[in-house]
Amino acid sequence: MSATTDSPSDAQLMAQRTKFLKTPQTIGVTCVPFSGGQPKGGVDDGPVEMIRFGIVDQIEGMGYDVSISDGMDKYRSMRPASDPPVGKLKNPRYVSLAARRVADQVRAHCASGSLALTLGGDHSIAMGTLVGSTAVYGDDLCVLWIDAHADINTPATTDSGNLHGCPLSFILGLCDKQDHSADDGLFGWIKPCVRTDSLVYIGLRDVDSGEKAILRKHGIKAFSMHDVDRYGIGRVVEMALDHVNPERTRPIHMSFDVDALDPSVAPATGTPVRGGLTFREGHYICEAVAETGCLVALDLVEVNPALGDPESLRQTVAVGCSLVRCSLGETLL
Ligand SMILES: NC(=[NH2+])NCCC[C@H](N)C(=O)O
Ligand SMILES: [Mn+2]
Ligand SMILES: [Mn+2]
């Protein structure tokens, strides 16, 4: 195990981009104890609980080298003394600062050829993970977003103002100029870095009406729970990969929100929605992604140890860790 902080040179970035050839042997872990993208405390304890559960030892036990980003405590101390809403957006400065740091850490892991594993924290941190991974892999990268929610609200469409419901609108460049001026450039550092046809969803079942309009307008591919029921998870994952990665040659960033799973499987999360993926369906997705050998970045977010009884907590942390291990190939024969 080792620690990294160095930021990569442009030469390193280019070298890694042209060199991408499947399954890194080093896992670069970034722990992000962050809850500023939504109102419930506790999700900032997600990473430490997964570490306590043994995720690092488990990954090392699978034969990977592990390198951990420095300074996870810094995320808590980054909260600005004053952070009034900008338009409807809550904690906008805090979210922006934290995501920016996440981007640097993920970028450094990807540039050194490691698979960037980010443990959240709420899903707003994916603004950072995707800026980081695309800085290295560019346009070639495709994104699998596994979630009950679409997380694609813009500053204009969000009802809640919670930024964990918005990361993709920034990443895809869907915010109006007005939205951006409304936030006085706070998120101006996020340049559109993923094309709408490089993104695919699995697990959706709670999508706001403004988000549905965005998905339709941009023709973004999404497999809802209705599709999982209709086709079965095997077909769904195959169709999802065929859409963004038909040759299975593009690097994959999978952003896995634990609330994609049914609350009976992952109860300790801030915005649970009934009718989610079963334990096996969730793991199947991870196994199928591992099988492609194309995974270069993985986010595991929205584990909130403060919600529910000790057994809910144990169950949710355990399932989070096992999704990570499966994504790294644990259950492949
Ligand atoms: N990452 C999540 N759990 N997101 C939930 C978002 C819920 C809702 N669509 C909102 O924008 O507030
Ligand atoms: Mn969600
Ligand atoms: Mn989410």
Side-chain angles (χ1 to χ4, degrees):
M1 200 192 298
S2 64
T4 42
T5 40
D6 301 344
S7 66
S9 68
D10 288 348
Q12 263 177 306
L13 293 179
M14 274 320 293
Q16 182 53 30
R17 184 177 301 181
T18 44
K19 207 178 71 194
F20 162 69
L21 247 338
K22 308 210 156 189
T23 320
Q25 280 312 298
T26 301
I27 311 301
V29 182
T30 303
C31 293
V32 190
F34 183 77
S35 64
Q38 51 80 63
K40 294 180 186 169
V43 69
D44 44 328
D45 288 326
V48 84
E49 288 297 337
M50 284 189 267
I51 299 279
R52 199 173 286 161
F53 190 81
I55 188 61
V56 171
D57 296 339
Q58 293 163 13
I59 294 171
E60 284 180 333
M62 292 171 65
Y64 291 100
D65 293 326
V66 174
S67 146
I68 306 187
S69 304
D70 281 339
M72 72 182 266
D73 340 310
K74 289 224 177 96
Y75 284 102
R76 294 182 200 270
S77 55
M78 283 172 110
R79 187 189 275 276
S82 161
D83 196 7
V86 172
K88 287 181 271 182
L89 302 182
K90 296 174 183 156
N91 309 320
R93 293 160 198 80
Y94 187 25
V95 171
S96 176
L97 276 171
R100 210 164 177 164
R101 181 178 158 86
V102 172
D104 287 341
Q105 297 190 317
V106 168
R107 179 169 172 268
H109 285 307
C110 291
S112 69
S114 303
L115 186 156
L117 168 62
T118 306
L119 304 176
D122 72 62
H123 219 162
S124 65
I125 66 172
M127 292 181 200
T129 63
L130 284 163
V131 167
S133 61
T134 55
V136 174
Y137 293 104
D139 243 7
D140 211 19
L141 189 99
C142 63
V143 178
L144 303 190
W145 195 275
I146 318 300
D147 207 320
H149 310 95
D151 294 350
I152 199 168
N153 273 305
T154 68
T157 67
T158 175
D159 284 327
S160 67
N162 298 327
L163 276 155
H164 76 157
C166 306
L168 283 168
S169 70
F170 292 94
I171 290 298
L172 299 166
L174 306 180
C175 310
D176 294 345
K177 282 278 174 296
Q178 288 129 281
D179 295 344
H180 264 293
S181 60
D183 62 29
D184 59 359
L186 259 186
F187 293 97
W189 61 274
I190 305 179
K191 306 292 174 237
C193 51
V194 175
R195 291 198 324 258
T196 48
D197 60 0
S198 294
L199 163 68
V200 64
Y201 290 103
I202 300 176
L204 300 187
R205 59 194 180 278
D206 182 10
V207 180
D208 301 338
S209 57
E211 293 182 300
K212 287 184 185 168
I214 293 172
L215 297 182
R216 258 185 257 118
K217 175 172 174 202
H218 297 277
I220 295 172
K221 194 70 150 181
F223 295 93
S224 66
M225 287 311 299
H226 180 86
D227 296 305
V228 174
D229 292 340
R230 172 176 299 182
Y231 300 109
I233 194 68
R235 276 292 288 144
V236 162
V237 174
E238 194 179 319
M239 290 188 285
L241 287 170
D242 284 348
H243 181 70
V244 291
N245 203 350
E247 318 286 343
R248 309 294 195 263
T249 48
R250 297 176 73 181
I252 298 175
H253 185 142
M254 178 159 70
S255 201
F256 203 120
D257 184 329
V258 83
D259 72 27
L261 301 176
D262 191 78
S264 61
V265 181
T269 190
T271 49
V273 189
R274 290 196 299 172
L277 298 167
T278 64
F279 182 91
R280 273 305 307 158
E281 287 166 344
H283 285 74
Y284 180 88
I285 297 171
C286 297
E287 291 163 357
V289 167
E291 224 170 9
T292 66
C294 295
L295 188 67
V296 297
L298 172 64
D299 314 330
L300 199 290
V301 298
E302 299 281 354
V303 170
N304 187 334
L307 301 175
D309 52 37
E311 177 48 25
S312 308
L313 154 63
R314 198 207 55 80
Q315 192 188 342
T316 310
V317 170
V319 86
C321 292
S322 105
L323 291 170
V324 169
R325 296 194 310 274
C326 283
S327 303
L328 301 180
E330 179 178 59
T331 47
L332 298 182
L333 300 179

